[in-house]
Amino acid sequence: ISKSISYEALPHNVSFAIENIKLNKVGDTCEVVQKAISPTDEDKIEFFISTDSGKHSILPVRGREHMSVPAININAAIAESGATAIKMDVEGAEYELIKSVTDWSNIRVIVVEWHFNALRALRRGKDHRTELFGEVMKILEQNFDVIRKLPNVAEGKNYITHFVAYKKDAEEPA
């Protein structure tokens, strides 16, 4: 990796990331951008605040405080950064963001923490959450050579899972 770019919407998460970069002496290979990744082209987006700093989200959550934060469209972030790898931990916005990507050609790997219940899909039943997960898996199957996930994960009782999709190197035999 020549450079790692982290998008963080809130100032305190940015300050934690910067402190981590300094402590680990990797400042020349890491950058933190204070923006939320968004599926829209708006330059600001509503960000819903959790009492747990690891659960803030761009998805509306009834009863949560929210604030307007700077945002960048996922496609613009990919293009501007020249990204070849994506690590996505976006507290439920995975479906919207993955569906919004218009060009996967330069992305070699994507690692995702997937939240089944974040779109409130459970209210519509397990079939709906399976359908949404299946849509994303089809996108990945069309754009990557290998997908690693737990077997039957969409049919289980999981609320959070992880998966990775990657392209085989051109030199590697098919």
Side-chain angles (χ1 to χ4, degrees):
I1 297 176
S2 59
K3 188 169 199 171
S4 173
I5 301 172
S6 174
Y7 290 88
E8 294 289 348
L10 298 179
H12 67 273
N13 283 353
V14 169
S15 66
F16 289 146
I18 290 170
E19 183 178 343
N20 192 6
I21 289 167
K22 287 178 185 174
L23 287 170
N24 288 289
K25 299 179 173 113
V26 292
D28 54 338
T29 63
C30 297
E31 177 184 346
V32 182
V33 177
Q34 189 176 330
K35 291 184 178 179
I37 298 288
S38 172
T40 72
D41 290 326
E42 302 298 319
D43 62 354
K44 290 200 174 267
I45 192 167
E46 289 302 301
F47 203 66
F48 293 80
I49 310 302
S50 171
T51 55
D52 178 341
S53 68
K55 294 182 181 175
H56 307 312
S57 178
I58 65 171
L59 292 182
V61 178
R62 191 177 322 147
R64 278 196 188 171
E65 290 183 36
H66 54 93
M67 61 189 290
S68 183
V69 297
I72 184 170
N73 176 277
I74 189 166
N75 294 297
I78 290 169
E80 288 176 17
S81 67
T84 59
I86 296 172
K87 179 203 175 266
M88 188 177 289
D89 184 357
V90 291
E91 300 309 310
E94 307 85 24
Y95 175 79
E96 296 284 332
L97 291 172
I98 291 170
K99 294 240 341 155
S100 298
V101 174
T102 57
D103 182 5
W104 291 99
S105 62
N106 291 327
I107 305 299
R108 306 292 299 153
V109 63
I110 181 169
V111 180
V112 178
E113 179 179 276
W114 179 270
H115 294 78
F116 278 106
N117 62 337
L119 292 175
R120 304 300 175 241
L122 294 178
R123 278 193 262 159
R124 297 186 199 137
K126 192 183 286 189
D127 289 342
H128 184 67
R129 80 177 202 165
T130 302
E131 179 183 314
L132 297 178
F133 189 73
E135 285 180 44
V136 166
M137 288 298 115
K138 282 185 180 136
I139 290 169
L140 298 180
E141 288 167 5
Q142 292 167 358
N143 292 286
F144 295 91
D145 300 316
V146 179
I147 300 170
R148 296 210 188 275
K149 62 180 174 64
L150 293 173
N152 304 318
V153 68
E155 291 79 28
K157 294 182 179 180
N158 305 296
Y159 290 97
I160 296 175
T161 192
H162 299 83
F163 56 82
V164 62
Y166 61 91
K167 296 175 183 172
K168 293 180 182 177
D169 291 328
E171 299 82 35
E172 187 176 85

